[in-house]
Amino acid sequence: MEINIQGYKRVTVVTVTGRVDSVTYSEFENALQAELEQGKVNIALDFSGVEFISSAGLRVLVNARKTVKNAGGRIVIAQPSQQVTETLEIAGLEVLFEQFPDRETAIAAF
Amino acid sequence: MEINIQGYKRVTVVTVTGRVDSVTYSEFENALQAELEQGKVNIALDFSGVEFISSAGLRVLVNARKTVKNAGGRIVIAQPSQQVTETLEIAGLEVLFEQFPDRETAIAAF
Amino acid sequence: MVKKHMKIDSHLDQIERVGRFVQEAAQDAGFDEMESYACELAVSEACENIILHGYGDDSTGEIEVSVRTEPDNITIELWDDAPPFDPANSPIKLDPSIDDPPIGGLGLVIMHRVMDEMEYNRREGRNQLRMRRSRKPPS
Amino acid sequence: MVKKHMKIDSHLDQIERVGRFVQEAAQDAGFDEMESYACELAVSEACENIILHGYGDDSTGEIEVSVRTEPDNITIELWDDAPPFDPANSPIKLDPSIDDPPIGGLGLVIMHRVMDEMEYNRREGRNQLRMRRSRKPPS
Ligand SMILES: Nc1ncnc2c1ncn2[C@@H]1O[C@H](COP(=O)(O)OP(=O)(O)O)[C@@H](O)[C@H]1O
Ligand SMILES: Nc1ncnc2c1ncn2[C@@H]1O[C@H](COP(=O)(O)OP(=O)(O)O)[C@@H](O)[C@H]1O
């Protein structure tokens, strides 16, 4: 898994590639946590390069959503890979995360 | 010349390709005018596909900048082609228009 | 009919291998990419639970994986020596509320949603979990 | 030394042809892409002024263009039959203020900034504008 963070005025874009699973989820969690602690509560997740995401990754997402929501922020997904969309649907969580076809529309939504 | 307009929440992206010259400038001017009349005063110009821009095109830019500035808005250039950057510099107008390396950073600047 | 078999230690970083093994078998059985991915996901969740909840801190355990494929069908069996646990008949909540989404329990939800059948047996002092899925007609 | 020549009617949509003609000549003389573009731009501005300000509404006028290139040097001559006007010695403001940028006058600014020399002559009842540029050492 690789994580890349691009901070903009109104939104932070977190780009994740590779696997988000029981081995890697905590790294993802820590990266998000660091942003939230800096008051970055509007997050666009570029998941175009995520090949695999398991329940361990979904838990991070659901927790992060709760935190940013309480702080008046929002977390959305930009250009999810097919695997991400599929996993969210299987888990019944697709309603929780707005999905955008590309980074541009996701960023412009904030 | 071709013009494509993408309206977002905080910014309108106007994509121009081809030549912006004494033959085509009024079409460009009208397209911008239509946005301004709808109160869209934050404009990002995607000039990546502009092959040629003459003083006729620069005049449209300078006028539009004045209008949006008076209305509290801003006009920036996203991923200018080399020709656009060169022309702005020759005309000494590069200080008037903030230039961004890509659409994403331009959009995120609003 | 094709049968394949593999074994891993109870380490989380071994799950990727099982997932790939199952995903390739599913594709061989004619499943499309996303259906194969779903099988990979479900079996990964099952292994994760065995490693974390079954074996706990003990990383000397093993999981045996066997896959049987027929055209349009895959059957996956997992064997482990951890304490008895029945994922096939554990209570799960398939429709999480939007206001209070679940943090735990997602693994079992995923396994049950992906698989058409799940069957648990305790045999010769081991946990045996059998999961079956048929290829879905293209929607 | 290479000499080339062309002629256009006083129509705005003919400027593109002149621009291309000059740009290609500049590249032949060894100018890089942006230097050649700058020459295209300057000569386009000159033609636009002749068509709009010189000939005005009269679209029956003509502009003659001749280009002479030597290695690292280009000389462009424009001839027209419009009323006398001297772009070489017209007052221009090369440093526009940021707070009140100019709307008019950009054409002459561009021509003067691109060209190393501009020379105007009224000859045989015609306007002759000669513009010269040398290749800049790469910065
Ligand atoms: N193989 C197992 N052995 C023991 N307990 C298990 C096993 N698998 C699941 N469980 C129990 O079922 C619960 C739900 O599992 P799961 O749906 O995967 O969610 P999570 O692992 O996030 O809690 C676990 O918290 C655990 O208590
Ligand atoms: N060929 C010409 N014939 C007559 N007047 C000209 C000619 N070229 C330029 N001018 C005059 O010089 C002014 C400045 O020209 P220019 O810098 O190209 O800006 P613009 O065309 O935008 O006014 C013109 O407005 C015009 O009055």
Side-chain angles (χ1 to χ4, degrees):
Chain A
M1 188 183 61
E2 272 186 43
I3 296 180
N4 194 292
I5 291 180
Q6 177 78 53
Y8 290 120
K9 211 165 152 185
R10 302 180 191 279
V11 56
T12 299
V13 183
V14 179
T15 305
V16 182
T17 52
R19 292 173 64 89
V20 190
D21 60 12
S22 53
V23 174
T24 62
Y25 79 94
S26 61
E27 199 188 323
F28 176 42
E29 192 162 42
N30 293 341
L32 282 182
Q33 196 53 41
E35 294 305 307
L36 302 182
E37 274 164 16
Q38 288 171 54
K40 312 291 189 191
V41 294
N42 285 315
I43 310 273
L45 298 164
D46 181 342
F47 271 0
S48 56
V50 171
E51 297 148 17
F52 182 88
I53 182 166
S54 72
S55 63
L58 297 180
R59 273 192 293 278
V60 176
L61 288 185
V62 171
N63 282 330
R65 177 176 172 273
K66 200 170 281 182
T67 308
V68 303
K69 242 185 116 183
N70 289 339
R74 202 153 57 106
I75 193 163
V76 306
I77 301 178
Q79 49 184 4
S81 64
Q82 266 196 293
Q83 289 90 327
V84 168
T85 304
E86 182 81 7
T87 310
L88 285 170
E89 268 166 32
I90 290 170
L93 300 179
E94 76 278 14
V95 284
L96 299 187
F97 301 96
E98 208 176 340
Q99 298 181 39
F100 291 90
D102 49 45
R103 289 171 68 105
E104 175 171 321
T105 49
I107 290 164
F110 283 91
Chain B
M1 187 183 63
E2 271 186 45
I3 296 180
N4 193 293
I5 292 181
Q6 176 80 52
Y8 290 122
K9 210 164 153 184
R10 303 181 190 277
V11 56
T12 299
V13 183
V14 179
T15 306
V16 182
T17 51
R19 291 174 65 88
V20 189
D21 61 11
S22 53
V23 174
T24 62
Y25 78 92
S26 61
E27 199 188 324
F28 176 42
E29 191 162 44
N30 293 341
L32 282 182
Q33 196 54 42
E35 293 306 307
L36 302 182
E37 276 165 15
Q38 288 171 54
K40 313 290 189 190
V41 294
N42 285 316
I43 310 274
L45 298 164
D46 180 342
F47 271 0
S48 57
V50 171
E51 297 148 15
F52 182 88
I53 182 165
S54 71
S55 64
L58 297 181
R59 274 193 292 278
V60 175
L61 289 185
V62 172
N63 282 329
R65 176 175 171 276
K66 200 171 280 181
T67 308
V68 303
K69 241 184 118 184
N70 290 339
R74 200 154 59 108
I75 193 162
V76 306
I77 300 179
Q79 47 183 5
S81 64
Q82 266 196 294
Q83 289 89 328
V84 168
T85 305
E86 183 80 8
T87 310
L88 285 169
E89 267 168 32
I90 291 169
L93 299 180
E94 76 279 13
V95 284
L96 299 187
F97 301 96
E98 207 176 341
Q99 297 181 40
F100 292 90
D102 50 45
R103 290 170 66 105
E104 175 171 321
T105 49
I107 290 165
F110 284 92
Chain C
M1 201 256 290
V2 179
K3 269 190 159 178
K4 296 201 313 187
H5 183 269
M6 78 179 294
K7 189 153 71 176
I8 62 166
D9 294 332
S10 55
H11 281 292
L12 290 175
D13 59 13
Q14 294 300 299
I15 296 177
E16 186 172 352
R17 281 177 55 215
V18 180
R20 213 161 33 227
F21 179 74
V22 166
Q23 190 242 347
E24 282 165 11
Q27 289 204 303
D28 291 342
F31 286 48
D32 71 21
E33 205 190 330
M34 279 307 111
E35 281 199 282
S36 305
Y37 171 77
C39 294
E40 173 187 3
L41 181 63
V43 84
S44 299
E45 297 293 342
C47 289
E48 184 187 325
N49 279 349
I50 294 167
I51 293 169
L52 291 178
H53 302 301
Y55 287 118
D57 274 340
D58 178 10
S59 60
T60 65
E62 282 181 346
I63 303 176
E64 279 191 71
V65 185
S66 70
V67 175
R68 213 181 72 179
T69 54
E70 286 162 290
D72 300 346
N73 277 289
I74 189 166
T75 306
I76 303 149
E77 263 182 39
L78 300 181
W79 291 85
D80 70 78
D81 306 296
F85 180 79
D86 178 0
N89 298 295
S90 293
I92 60 163
K93 224 180 136 195
L94 276 173
D95 286 298
S97 90
I98 297 173
D99 293 328
D100 186 23
I103 303 295
L106 285 171
L108 287 175
V109 168
I110 287 171
M111 288 155 65
H112 280 270
R113 291 253 272 231
V114 170
M115 293 299 162
D116 295 326
E117 285 170 37
M118 287 180 63
E119 187 190 325
Y120 170 80
N121 284 295
R122 182 82 185 169
R123 282 194 215 276
E124 302 159 28
R126 305 176 80 197
N127 294 306
Q128 182 209 37
L129 177 62
R130 181 182 289 141
M131 300 181 277
R132 212 194 49 72
R133 173 163 168 143
S134 301
R135 196 157 76 86
K136 301 289 168 292
S139 57
Chain D
M1 199 258 292
V2 180
K3 269 191 159 176
K4 296 201 311 187
H5 184 268
M6 78 178 295
K7 190 154 70 176
I8 61 165
D9 295 333
S10 55
H11 282 290
L12 290 175
D13 59 13
Q14 295 300 299
I15 296 176
E16 185 171 352
R17 281 179 53 216
V18 180
R20 213 160 32 226
F21 179 76
V22 167
Q23 189 243 345
E24 282 165 12
Q27 289 203 303
D28 291 344
F31 286 49
D32 72 21
E33 203 190 330
M34 279 307 109
E35 281 199 282
S36 305
Y37 171 78
C39 294
E40 173 187 2
L41 180 63
V43 84
S44 300
E45 297 292 343
C47 289
E48 184 186 325
N49 279 350
I50 294 167
I51 294 169
L52 291 178
H53 302 303
Y55 286 118
D57 273 341
D58 179 10
S59 61
T60 65
E62 282 180 347
I63 304 176
E64 280 191 71
V65 186
S66 70
V67 175
R68 212 182 72 179
T69 54
E70 288 162 290
D72 300 346
N73 278 289
I74 188 166
T75 307
I76 303 149
E77 263 182 37
L78 300 181
W79 291 84
D80 69 77
D81 305 295
F85 178 82
D86 178 359
N89 299 294
S90 293
I92 60 162
K93 226 181 135 194
L94 275 173
D95 286 299
S97 89
I98 296 173
D99 294 327
D100 186 23
I103 302 295
L106 285 172
L108 287 175
V109 168
I110 287 170
M111 287 154 66
H112 281 269
R113 291 252 271 229
V114 171
M115 293 298 161
D116 294 327
E117 285 170 36
M118 287 178 62
E119 187 191 326
Y120 170 81
N121 285 295
R122 182 82 184 171
R123 281 194 215 279
E124 300 159 29
R126 306 176 79 198
N127 294 307
Q128 183 208 37
L129 177 62
R130 181 182 290 139
M131 300 180 278
R132 212 193 50 70
R133 172 163 171 143
S134 301
R135 196 157 76 85
K136 301 290 167 289
S139 56

